[in-house]
Amino acid sequence: MTKDDVIRMAREAGWDAHHAEFDTRIERFATLVAAAEREFCAKVCDEESMEERDDWAMRRIEACARVIRARGTP
């Protein structure tokens, strides 16, 4: 998601874009929300992998959690 995407979605949600620090603040907010959502999804994978009995499936689920978490790194 680009900075322009974040700003567009914020405006679509009705946020006032007239504040001088709007772009920076909304971009930071979007970053925090995305990080929380990624971690939630990765934790679901972690929980599923602990219940999996098949080694191959467990490794694939763990790999998914790693990929989800890695999306937050530049």
Side-chain angles (χ1 to χ4, degrees):
M1 187 169 18
T2 68
K3 179 180 179 177
D4 290 338
D5 292 333
V6 171
I7 292 168
R8 177 187 47 77
M9 287 186 280
R11 289 184 177 138
E12 286 176 14
W15 286 36
D16 183 8
H18 297 2
H19 192 277
E21 295 179 1
F22 174 77
D23 289 1
T24 303
R25 295 172 81 188
I26 196 66
E27 191 173 7
R28 178 68 180 137
F29 176 73
T31 299
L32 293 170
V33 170
E37 184 65 12
R38 278 192 308 275
E39 187 56 28
F40 175 83
C41 293
K43 284 182 180 181
V44 169
C45 293
D46 291 340
E47 291 170 10
E48 287 297 315
S49 72
M50 289 190 295
E51 294 180 17
E52 183 58 55
R53 296 184 194 280
D54 179 86
D55 285 341
W56 181 86
M58 183 180 67
R59 288 192 307 273
R60 296 302 310 146
I61 295 168
E62 289 170 347
C64 286
R66 285 191 302 275
V67 168
I68 291 168
R69 285 185 174 109
R71 286 186 53 96
T73 57

